[in-house]
Amino acid sequence: MCLLLGVCLKRTGRFPANTHTALNAFVIFVSFPATVLLQITHLFSRTTVTWSILLPATMGWLLFLGAWALISMIGKRHQWSDARTGALILTAGLGNTSFVGFPLLEALLGSEAVPWGVLVDQLGSFFVLSTLGIVVASRYGRPRDGKARSIPRQVFTFPPFLALLTALALSAVGFVFTGVAETSLARLASTLVPLALFAVGFQLNLSPSTLRRYGKPLSLGLGYKLILAPSVLLGLYVFVLGQTDFVTRVTLLEAAMATMITSAVVAAEFSLDEELANLMVGVSVPLSLLTVPAWNYLLGFVL
């Protein structure tokens, strides 16, 4: 609904042309850090680090590193701009393992799958976006304010990464947000999805000319995210490591989810190819409602 509202309300002309810029800034400086602070501290307060936790958490890292290796190589071969290559690495390498992932997991596998999905998301996808994702964004883009900064400085001044460091420090001393602080953070965190999706919809352009212009990189990104990466991870986890339990099934379904919404926001914040990033989100989300159940059906034969 938020994605469609962004598309429709842009056409009314009642919103300023740079509405998405303001919304993206709010997500980066407020919504995303609040989500990280709340989720990471809660996760470590109730989780003991074991191999069973680390294995599903590796999925997000492998997914991103594979996208980085493959897309950077293809980008060089086709002489793509840094902005296009960086945007595609971010959006193909980061999965929507929470806002699309959790409802799909519950629908396909039941409520017992959701806690494992949280581990995949928080120790995998969110950690990757806040670390390697910012490294890639800094390597291929530049901050929206245009000021030149080194990659380490860009990473260590990025608000969600600072929130991650703060959350890890608080978790190390056993601190958990409660009461008014928890409620306030939860309210701020709840703005992430609607505002990010509205901003994506506001910028989304699905005209035939746009789809033709981005046909090759869009097909590559969608093919990697929805088909190739889950296939490779299936081979690794099941046929190489011999993992055939319920957690492995959850992990592989999370690997097949659509593009992470926030990756398009980060792409915009670092002046990467916003149009391509928004296409990856806008097309992969509805497509995943078909491809993820198909993956679940196929996994039934091997798990």
Side-chain angles (χ1 to χ4, degrees):
M1 185 182 295
C2 291
L3 189 71
L4 291 174
L5 280 173
V7 173
C8 296
L9 291 177
K10 179 181 181 179
R11 297 182 178 181
T12 66
R14 299 296 183 91
F15 284 71
N18 65 342
T19 293
H20 62 280
T21 303
L23 294 179
N24 285 342
F26 187 89
V27 167
I28 291 293
F29 282 87
V30 180
S31 309
F32 195 6
T35 302
V36 172
L37 283 171
L38 189 64
Q39 296 293 340
I40 293 295
T41 52
H42 278 191
L43 175 67
F44 280 103
S45 71
R46 58 179 184 264
T47 302
T48 302
V49 177
T50 63
W51 172 245
S52 63
I53 289 174
L54 294 177
L55 183 64
T58 60
M59 184 278 292
W61 299 87
L62 295 174
L63 181 74
F64 190 84
L65 290 171
W68 193 351
L70 177 66
I71 294 170
S72 62
M73 178 183 68
I74 293 176
K76 287 180 181 178
R77 182 175 300 174
H78 291 276
Q79 297 183 330
W80 288 346
S81 66
D82 282 351
R84 171 174 290 191
T85 302
L88 200 58
I89 293 171
L90 277 180
T91 52
L94 292 162
N96 198 324
T97 49
S98 55
F99 309 117
V100 172
F102 297 165
L104 276 177
L105 285 179
E106 186 165 11
L108 296 172
L109 300 180
S111 58
E112 64 271 21
V114 176
W116 292 107
V118 172
L119 290 174
V120 171
D121 180 67
Q122 296 300 311
L123 294 181
S125 305
F126 255 68
F127 256 121
V128 174
L129 176 60
S130 301
T131 52
L132 293 182
I134 308 309
V135 171
V136 166
S138 304
R139 159 64 180 82
Y140 290 93
R142 64 184 187 282
R144 185 170 286 280
D145 60 17
K147 294 180 180 178
R149 302 184 184 95
S150 65
I151 290 179
R153 186 177 178 186
Q154 290 184 64
V155 172
F156 282 95
T157 57
F158 190 63
F161 185 75
L162 295 176
L164 177 62
L165 294 180
T166 303
L168 292 174
L170 293 174
S171 298
V173 297
F175 179 86
V176 180
F177 291 98
T178 58
V180 174
E182 181 184 18
T183 303
S184 300
L185 283 174
R187 292 289 178 88
L188 291 173
S190 69
T191 63
L192 190 152
V193 177
L195 291 184
L197 272 177
F198 185 94
V200 168
F202 198 84
Q203 301 169 87
L204 191 60
N205 182 0
L206 291 176
S207 67
S209 61
T210 301
L211 292 174
R212 282 195 299 270
R213 187 166 71 253
Y214 286 104
K216 289 183 178 179
L218 182 62
S219 298
L220 171 64
L222 293 174
Y224 175 84
K225 184 69 205 70
L226 301 177
I227 300 173
L228 178 60
S231 301
V232 173
L233 290 170
L234 170 64
L236 174 63
Y237 288 135
V238 176
F239 299 110
V240 176
L241 299 178
Q243 300 294 314
T244 57
D245 57 6
F246 180 74
V247 177
T248 302
R249 188 166 187 161
V250 172
T251 304
L252 291 172
L253 285 182
E254 286 280 54
M257 295 296 170
T259 291
M260 181 188 283
I261 299 165
T262 322
S263 67
V265 177
V266 173
E269 184 66 19
F270 282 84
S271 304
L272 298 174
D273 194 328
E274 294 181 48
E275 200 163 25
L276 176 58
N278 289 319
L279 279 173
M280 280 290 293
V281 173
V283 176
S284 69
V285 169
L287 268 182
S288 69
L289 301 181
L290 300 174
T291 58
V292 173
W295 270 110
N296 186 53
Y297 176 77
L298 292 173
L299 290 176
F301 292 102
V302 293
L303 297 177

Coordinates of all heavy atoms in Angstrom, one line a residue, residues 8 23 36 66 86 126 191 237:
C8 N 1.2 6.9 -6.7 CA -0.1 7.6 -7.0 C 0.0 9.1 -6.6 O -0.4 10.0 -7.3 CB -1.3 7.0 -6.4 SG -1.6 5.3 -7.0
L23 N 12.3 12.1 3.1 CA 11.9 10.9 3.7 C 13.1 10.0 3.9 O 13.2 9.3 4.9 CB 10.8 10.2 2.9 CG 9.5 10.9 2.8 CD1 8.5 10.2 1.9 CD2 8.9 11.1 4.2
V36 N 17.8 -0.5 14.7 CA 19.0 -1.2 15.1 C 19.2 -1.2 16.6 O 19.5 -2.3 17.2 CB 20.3 -0.5 14.5 CG1 21.5 -1.2 15.0 CG2 20.2 -0.7 12.9
G66 N 28.9 -12.6 -2.5 CA 28.7 -13.2 -3.9 C 28.2 -12.1 -4.9 O 28.7 -12.1 -6.0
G86 N 27.4 0.0 -8.0 CA 27.2 0.0 -6.6 C 25.7 -0.2 -6.2 O 25.4 -0.9 -5.2
F126 N 21.0 -7.1 8.6 CA 21.2 -5.8 9.2 C 22.6 -5.5 9.5 O 23.1 -4.4 9.2 CB 20.4 -5.7 10.5 CG 19.1 -4.9 10.4 CD1 18.1 -5.4 9.6 CD2 19.0 -3.7 11.0 CE1 16.9 -4.6 9.5 CE2 17.8 -3.0 10.9 CZ 16.8 -3.4 10.1
T191 N 8.4 3.6 11.8 CA 8.2 4.4 10.6 C 9.1 4.0 9.5 O 9.0 4.5 8.4 CB 8.6 5.9 11.0 OG1 10.0 5.9 11.4 CG2 7.7 6.4 12.1
Y237 N 24.8 -25.4 1.8 CA 24.3 -25.8 3.1 C 23.8 -27.2 3.1 O 24.1 -28.0 4.1 CB 23.1 -24.9 3.5 CG 23.5 -23.5 3.9 CD1 22.8 -22.4 3.5 CD2 24.5 -23.3 4.8 CE1 23.1 -21.1 3.8 CE2 24.9 -22.0 5.1 CZ 24.2 -20.9 4.7 OH 24.5 -19.6 5.0

